[in-house]
Amino acid sequence: MNRKSIPAIPEAILQLQRQLDQFRSTQSRRTKLPESLWQAAVELARQHGVYSVAQLLRLDYVGLKKRLGGVAILRRKATKPAFVELIAPQEECVIEFEAPSGNKMRVQWKASTPRDWVSLLRAWREAEG
């Protein structure tokens, strides 16, 4: 029977795990961790990865990632376009617009010169509103 070898947990993580266990056993469940323990976890996450450290130490992954300088993932409904990508027209050009209502417009043409798509978008928005 083939068994996958489980990598050994680094000694530094085991030491911090013992410190966290000791802290958790003497404090109420909702007590915030001291900053010194968070900083030790951040240093270990830089070396061994956020997921591994968060899982082994039973820490909040997102909280640890934030402390590392990671960006929190916020899921919000987009109300305005985040960006507009313009690619220089070649033989064929396609422009797609999407209104907050969900309506879509796609303009496709074969030409070497760009059209006045800003005016087209403005007229479409006025017709939507």
Side-chain angles (χ1 to χ4, degrees):
M1 183 186 306
N2 291 336
R3 287 187 161 184
K4 292 183 181 178
S5 60
I6 300 172
I9 299 172
E11 184 59 34
I13 293 178
L14 290 173
Q15 287 177 356
L16 185 55
Q17 191 176 49
R18 285 190 286 270
Q19 290 175 5
L20 285 167
D21 288 343
Q22 182 180 9
F23 174 81
R24 289 172 176 147
S25 69
T26 60
Q27 303 295 320
S28 67
R29 185 167 170 83
R30 294 286 183 185
T31 302
K32 290 185 178 184
L33 291 177
E35 194 59 33
S36 61
L37 293 176
W38 272 114
Q39 285 306 313
V42 166
E43 291 304 317
L44 290 172
R46 283 191 181 113
Q47 297 171 16
H48 304 285
V50 179
Y51 177 78
S52 299
V53 172
Q55 183 182 27
L56 291 169
L57 300 178
R58 294 179 292 140
L59 294 173
D60 174 41
Y61 172 85
V62 175
L64 184 56
K65 189 172 180 178
K66 278 184 193 179
R67 288 173 181 272
L68 268 168
V71 179
I73 300 170
L74 300 177
R75 290 178 180 15
R76 293 184 182 170
K77 186 175 180 181
T79 56
K80 295 183 180 179
F83 69 93
V84 175
E85 180 180 4
L86 298 176
I87 300 173
Q90 297 170 2
E91 292 180 23
E92 184 176 331
C93 186
V94 176
I95 295 178
E96 296 179 348
F97 300 111
E98 184 173 349
S101 64
N103 294 335
K104 297 178 183 179
M105 177 174 62
R106 178 183 170 121
V107 179
Q108 180 176 358
W109 71 87
K110 294 182 180 186
S112 59
T113 58
R115 302 293 180 226
D116 186 9
W117 64 269
V118 174
S119 296
L120 178 63
L121 175 60
R122 191 174 296 127
W124 184 56
R125 282 190 173 167
E126 289 173 5
E128 282 280 311

